[in-house]
Amino acid sequence: MSSTTATAERTRTRIDLDWVRRNGVYVALVALLLFNVVATNNFLSERTLMLQLIQVTPVVIVALGMALVIGTEGIDLSVGAVMALAAAVIPLYIGYGAPLAILAALTAGLLCGALAGSIIGFVGVQPIVATLGIMVAGRGVANLLGGEIKSIREPGFVALGTGEFLGVPYVVLIAIAISLAVWFVARRTIYGRQLVAIGGNPRAALLAGLPVRRVIITTYVVCGLLAAVAGVLMAARSQASDPTKLGLLMELSAITAVVIGGTPLSGGQVRIVGTIAGALLLQLITATLIFHNIPDSTAQMAQAVIVIAAVYVQLGRRKGSS
């Protein structure tokens, strides 16, 4: 009788933990929204809400790419440096027009992703090591190309960061379009299913004849490309390229958004909606602390605590299911 009760208790605990892992980010997001509605002046004003959406845009875009990478049981520490590199390329080509400059910046991000994916897929280097090297090299190249903060005043490029359509900023519309596209790719395409299978069991996926290397390289290319998009949008928004600070610690924010959104670091799953909710939660935590005059450094500490708690929940689930 006692054994049956203990088994039932363990099952209930495992179910509760799984529910927290799947839905905790939404509960926390709603709770924080309600708190700000009650305790923060003018929180529901259009200007405040739109500003929050604009500021979260780079994290959402980068986190979507990171979610795909983590789905393959990988990780990409170079996304912040790729953002800086893409922004540093803009001033070099802006004299030929905004489209060519943006194309060059996106190409830089694509090449960084292809390099990371090739090192991981063909050479077999651990993702954390390969992308750490690209992070250091990418930031160095960005500083070499940019050197210092450079203003970008080309009207077409500036409009990308400041323009609106029906009252919604272009950067927000771009983030929504990318979110829908990534969701479709992850949930409705053969590539998305192969990505999840490879992340769940790479050895079995290889034996089953799945194109493991091609999927891994493609995933890192997509991640690098999305990081470059985020870098371009941040440069357009600020009308400047700052190779030293642009994208700094973005990898931490992206990984945190993915983990608290329910995508396990062990791979095999990709939760796009949860990732977006995780990015929104991080932004709202930072904004809430600022609204109430709490130092920004506290927000970073809170972010660290959140990611540790999320990883703890995931580890607890794995132990419970083993």
Side-chain angles (χ1 to χ4, degrees), residues 98-169:
L100 183 60
I102 293 172
L103 180 62
L106 298 184
T107 302
L110 187 150
L111 291 176
C112 288
L115 179 60
S118 298
I119 294 173
I120 296 165
F122 286 107
V123 184
V125 176
Q126 289 292 321
I128 192 171
V129 177
T131 57
L132 181 64
I134 294 176
M135 179 184 75
V136 176
R139 185 70 68 176
V141 173
N143 277 293
L144 192 64
L145 294 176
E148 57 186 12
I149 300 176
K150 293 182 178 178
S151 63
I152 308 172
R153 302 295 185 187
E154 204 278 333
F157 186 72
V158 172
L160 180 65
T162 59
E164 297 179 353
F165 179 74
L166 298 177
V168 182

Side-chain angles (χ1 to χ4, degrees), residues 62-64 66-67 70 253-264 271 274-275 278-279 314:
V62 175
L64 289 171
M66 187 69 76
I70 290 178
S253 298
I255 293 170
T256 305
V258 173
V259 171
I260 65 177
T263 300
R271 299 189 183 282
T275 297
Q314 290 185 3

Side-chain angles (χ1 to χ4, degrees), residues 178-214:
I178 290 175
S179 299
L180 293 173
V182 173
W183 178 88
F184 180 82
V185 168
R187 301 298 297 272
R188 292 287 186 267
T189 65
I190 294 175
Y191 160 77
R193 290 193 286 273
Q194 290 176 339
L195 184 153
V196 170
I198 291 170
N201 192 330
R203 178 69 177 166
L206 188 63
L207 292 175
L210 297 184
V212 175
R213 290 193 179 96
R214 189 175 71 196

